[in-house]
Amino acid sequence: MFHRSFCQAGSDVRGFTGIKRCRSCTTESCPGLYAIRKSNMSKPLKIGLVGTGSIAHAHLPAFKQFPGRVQITAVCDIRQQAADRFAELAGTDVVFTDFERMLKEADIDAVDICTVHNQHRHQVIAAAEAGKHILLEKPMGITLDECREMLKATDAAGITYMIAQCLRYLPNSQWVRQRIIEGEFGDIWALRSDNFASMVPPKSKIDTDKSTGPGIWYLDGKQAGGGALISQSTHHIDLFRYYIGDISRVTATSWTDHPFFINGAEESIAATMEFENGAVAQVLSSWASRTPWNHHYWLLGELGSVTSRLMPGSSPAEQYIGPLDVSLPRFDDDKSSRAFVPLDIADTDLPTHLPFVNEILHFADCCQSGAEPLSSGTDNLGTMKAVLGIYESAKTGQPVSLADI
């Protein structure tokens, strides 16, 4: 089922890195997934951040905790007051409301793009043409044509292009992936992703003749590229690919008749993903179900399983990066055979237990070394093919082979 990737030197690997080798291997093709690179940057990477919404605030601790490695030297937002407020938090007085002007005038090596989804293509291409390294918040784009255009531009520019798929940078995720590679879970046969939230009132409670909806960008298919799936479930879809490999075929059904969702954005969707190794995943995502915030996944193997812990009352971000419970023979004892136990990663090779911090430091190291990031744009095309293939299947009512799109 799952094909392991081993270093050609047979090394014992223990961390993640974009550098394609592990500690004891000089082979360029070694995946080196568990040998985190020690930074030897002589000066911090200077970054211009664009888009000062909630995800930008999640990125901020990296710059506060590691100023010797990464610094925000410019801030850009189309809202002057929002840009000013974030710049004060970031410790810079260099503020722009025009992205192209920031690229031309600011003292920056790279950009951290935290904007609305339909702005990604233009901003990535502009930054690549300006010779800036790029950290882009997910999703990469809202169409596959956009994603491919961005890859073409970044490849031509020769810059580092990384997608901020934060779940890959959790110590728990790294631990689970390594155990999968070593065969400790046996064959992985199924995964499941649940992402639910009561974002909107029930359709039955809305006067459609009077309501114009809340006007929020992520409920607008033209701005977000979709609804619940592209904004929520992209996280788990990417993590599942990281765990067990690429997806070959998808089938989906969506619900798109809630009046608050416009331009094709779905309020709810159900999908099945078939992986190249024979495993199957279910994806359920909804912003119109009466439920507390719920971001949760399962991984099921013949020898072990993983479930992310339900955390009622916690924030969405806390749930995405929350604790895991694991069932494996190594944790069995006479009293609790096959029981779930909390996965407690007390010691980690990663810089912190915060994925946003880890991913930004990894980005900085890759910019300095020229190594391919763990969540590169090239790799992320596979995630976007799955997400956008699910939308195509929901639209046509037919299975979609990802090799054909």
Side-chain angles (χ1 to χ4, degrees), residues 18-33:
I19 297 175
K20 298 180 180 176
R21 66 186 69 177
C22 58
R23 286 194 180 103
S24 57
C25 183
T26 59
T27 307
E28 287 297 328
S29 60
C30 169
L33 292 172

Side-chain angles (χ1 to χ4, degrees), residues 52 72 74-75 81-95:
T52 61
I72 294 177
V75 171
Q81 288 186 338
D84 289 340
R85 285 195 299 268
F86 192 88
E88 183 177 0
L89 293 173
T92 181
D93 57 3
V94 181
V95 175

Side-chain angles (χ1 to χ4, degrees), residues 289-357:
S289 299
R290 189 184 187 280
T291 175
W293 281 100
N294 183 336
H295 302 296
H296 179 239
Y297 76 85
W298 282 85
L299 179 146
L300 300 169
E302 62 170 336
L303 301 178
S305 57
V306 176
T307 181
S308 58
R309 194 176 308 158
L310 290 171
M311 300 173 64
S314 58
S315 72
E318 289 171 328
Q319 293 191 38
Y320 274 122
I321 67 174
L324 300 181
D325 293 322
V326 181
S327 176
L328 281 171
R330 67 161 66 199
F331 298 122
D332 287 349
D333 58 33
D334 294 338
K335 298 179 181 179
S336 59
S337 177
R338 293 185 291 275
F340 276 117
V341 299
L343 181 59
D344 181 14
I345 308 295
D347 297 318
T348 175
D349 284 340
L350 306 186
T352 75
H353 285 266
L354 296 174
F356 300 109
V357 174

Side-chain angles (χ1 to χ4, degrees), residues 30-311:
C30 169
L33 292 172
Y34 276 72
I36 189 163
R37 185 177 190 278
K38 298 299 183 182
S39 174
N40 60 2
M41 296 176 68
S42 59
K43 57 184 179 179
L45 187 74
K46 294 177 287 189
I47 296 178
L49 183 142
V50 57
T52 61
S54 59
I55 196 63
H57 287 268
H59 287 200
L60 194 56
F63 302 97
K64 293 290 191 180
Q65 294 177 31
F66 294 90
R69 295 176 66 180
V70 286
Q71 290 181 1
I72 294 177
T73 55
V75 171
C76 181
D77 197 292
I78 58 173
R79 304 162 298 168
Q80 182 72 54
Q81 288 186 338
D84 289 340
R85 285 195 299 268
F86 192 88
E88 183 177 0
L89 293 173
T92 181
D93 57 3
V94 181
V95 175
F96 296 88
T97 57
D98 182 274
F99 183 64
E100 283 77 10
R101 186 180 169 197
M102 182 179 77
L103 292 175
K104 292 177 182 177
E105 300 180 9
D107 181 19
I108 57 175
D109 306 308
V111 292
D112 183 357
I113 300 176
C114 302
T115 54
V116 175
H117 304 167
N118 68 341
Q119 301 298 309
H120 290 180
R121 174 193 170 276
H122 169 74
Q123 291 170 339
V124 165
I125 292 175
E129 291 176 347
K132 309 302 181 185
H133 302 295
I134 300 165
L135 176 64
L136 174 66
E137 260 301 328
K138 64 86 196 160
M140 190 192 318
I142 61 174
T143 70
L144 282 176
D145 284 344
E146 283 192 359
C147 295
R148 290 180 172 121
E149 287 178 41
M150 287 185 268
L151 286 170
K152 182 178 180 180
T154 53
D155 285 347
I159 51 88
T160 296
Y161 179 38
M162 175 173 149
I163 312 302
Q165 294 285 177
C166 63
L167 297 190
R168 294 190 180 204
Y169 299 90
L170 278 167
N172 283 349
S173 300
Q174 291 289 313
W175 190 93
V176 170
R177 188 179 189 278
Q178 181 62 8
R179 302 293 85 73
I180 293 171
I181 290 172
E182 293 170 352
E184 194 164 344
F185 286 93
D187 288 344
I188 307 300
W189 69 275
L191 306 98
R192 178 180 169 122
S193 165
D194 294 335
N195 290 282
F196 309 131
S198 297
M199 297 285 287
V200 295
K203 289 179 289 187
S204 59
K205 303 295 184 181
I206 299 171
D207 186 341
T208 55
D209 292 330
K210 296 180 180 180
S211 175
T212 58
I216 300 172
W217 68 266
Y218 50 78
L219 307 184
D220 180 353
K222 285 186 177 179
Q223 295 188 74
L229 180 83
I230 199 166
S231 290
Q232 294 191 125
S233 301
T234 301
H235 283 295
H236 285 163
I237 292 171
D238 182 77
L239 183 65
F240 291 174
R241 286 187 57 247
Y242 183 54
Y243 280 163
I244 66 168
D246 274 326
I247 299 157
S248 58
R249 192 171 82 146
V250 296
T251 308
T253 300
S254 65
W255 289 259
T256 59
D257 56 349
H258 194 289
F260 281 12
F261 291 77
I262 60 175
N263 295 318
E266 82 288 352
E267 66 263 28
S268 303
I269 196 163
T272 298
M273 305 188 302
E274 301 172 35
F275 286 78
E276 291 180 357
N277 67 1
V280 174
Q282 291 183 331
V283 177
L284 298 176
S285 192
S286 178
W287 277 342
S289 299
R290 189 184 187 280
T291 175
W293 281 100
N294 183 336
H295 302 296
H296 179 239
Y297 76 85
W298 282 85
L299 179 146
L300 300 169
E302 62 170 336
L303 301 178
S305 57
V306 176
T307 181
S308 58
R309 194 176 308 158
L310 290 171
M311 300 173 64

